Amino acid sequence: YEVLDRGMAARIFAFQNDRGKSLTKLETIKSFLMMTVYMRGKNEEEKNSVVEEIDTRFAYIYETTMRINVDEDDVLLNYWRSRNGFYADDAIAGAKDELSKAEDKIFWIKAFVRDLALAFKFVELFENDAGEYPVRLRLLNNMAYSYPFLIRAYLKGVKYDSPLFTGLMHLMENLTFRSLIRGGRADILTRLNGHLKRISDEASAKVEIGKIVEAIANGWWGYWSDAEVERRLNEWFYGN
């Protein structure tokens, strides 16, 4: 069945895809955004222009997924958490909710897709980095804390090759190691969440990094202090 109108094609894709292979969350959100453009665009010229931009961004994203080891839906989730905090677990529902409240929906979609493509670019950059801290982070095999912080800093203008970004990777490697050694149910995410959400540019990133380091050094985060790590390393522990 041939469909000549791209708007109709987007609607069919959005509502009839359940007859075949299940879509990934990334594919689902792309379909939803394209359908929204056709429903909300001011005119055919704008609709076609924005859809072409979405197609181009996602073409890059799909090419990138072939070169990285992180699942595409995990990149989407980490990108979403970089925007909204560690407890933002549903990128599709969250994006739909944000978009429904946006005054300029086309502007929101274009910004969302641009930053999502940059998040995939960052993951590829990070995976190919043979530097000290990226290598250590990958060896720890737990990027749950790191990716939201690193992606947010990257999107907010902290240059990847800057000393500040290197310092952030060092901090994330250090925190991840401390958390894995500590184990248990000690809640580090709540402590990190506010710092993550307050990063809005290079200056604020520097401030939040400093606050986290100070909190650990002064014992406020006692579960992950030097003394606690040393105690754990010098006693028998299981599963770490």
Side-chain angles (χ1 to χ4, degrees):
Y1 179 69
E2 187 174 1
V3 179
L4 299 179
D5 178 70
R6 296 186 73 178
M8 181 59 70
R11 292 183 180 89
I12 291 173
F13 183 73
F15 294 117
Q16 299 299 325
N17 64 72
D18 60 339
R19 295 171 186 251
K21 182 180 177 181
S22 297
L23 296 179
T24 65
K25 292 180 180 179
L26 186 66
E27 291 168 332
T28 300
I29 208 164
K30 177 192 176 186
S31 172
F32 170 72
L33 295 176
M34 293 182 72
M35 186 177 67
T36 302
V37 170
Y38 278 112
M39 293 174 64
R40 300 289 185 175
K42 296 176 183 177
N43 51 60
E44 289 303 312
E45 182 179 356
E46 181 184 62
K47 293 176 185 178
N48 291 331
S49 173
V50 177
V51 165
E52 184 176 350
E53 182 174 341
I54 294 174
D55 272 336
T56 300
R57 300 283 191 191
F58 270 86
Y60 172 79
I61 287 170
Y62 290 136
E63 289 173 6
T64 306
T65 62
M66 304 298 292
R67 300 191 296 266
I68 62 177
N69 296 314
V70 184
D71 181 80
E72 63 186 54
D73 285 345
D74 288 340
V75 179
L76 173 63
L77 178 60
N78 282 310
Y79 163 63
W80 187 246
R81 285 176 173 168
S82 79
R83 291 170 58 114
N84 297 285
F86 285 106
Y87 299 106
D89 291 328
D90 192 333
I92 295 175
K96 287 181 177 181
D97 182 59
E98 270 194 24
L99 182 56
S100 70
K101 298 173 183 176
E103 292 186 13
D104 189 336
K105 291 179 171 40
I106 300 300
F107 177 84
W108 188 96
I109 289 171
K110 292 171 71 174
F112 178 91
V113 175
R114 178 198 66 217
D115 286 350
L116 179 60
L118 285 173
F120 275 86
K121 179 181 179 180
F122 169 79
V123 171
E124 182 179 16
L125 188 64
F126 176 81
E127 281 200 346
N128 290 319
D129 191 338
E132 177 182 8
Y133 302 119
V135 168
R136 286 182 181 178
L137 271 169
R138 295 196 297 270
L139 285 172
L140 286 170
N141 196 32
N142 187 328
M143 294 293 295
Y145 312 134
S146 302
Y147 266 140
F149 264 100
L150 299 176
I151 290 172
R152 186 175 182 100
Y154 186 75
L155 293 179
K156 295 300 182 180
V158 181
K159 294 182 179 179
Y160 187 80
D161 58 355
S162 67
L164 181 60
F165 207 97
T166 300
L168 178 58
M169 288 192 286
H170 184 186
L171 174 60
M172 290 297 105
E173 178 256 339
N174 199 308
L175 270 176
T176 301
F177 178 79
R178 289 169 185 261
S179 180
L180 291 173
I181 288 293
R182 174 62 179 80
R185 292 178 291 178
D187 179 18
I188 195 170
L189 285 183
T190 299
R191 291 167 171 82
L192 289 174
N193 205 43
H195 295 291
L196 170 67
K197 295 170 77 171
R198 284 192 290 271
I199 294 176
S200 58
D201 53 21
E202 186 173 332
S204 58
K206 186 175 182 179
V207 169
E208 298 307 321
I209 291 171
K211 286 181 178 178
I212 295 172
V213 172
E214 183 180 358
I216 295 172
N218 292 332
W220 176 46
W221 293 6
Y223 287 124
W224 305 279
S225 66
D226 287 353
E228 177 66 8
V229 170
E230 185 174 3
R231 184 177 74 83
R232 290 278 170 172
L233 288 171
N234 284 306
E235 68 179 15
W236 181 88
F237 56 90
Y238 174 76
N240 301 49

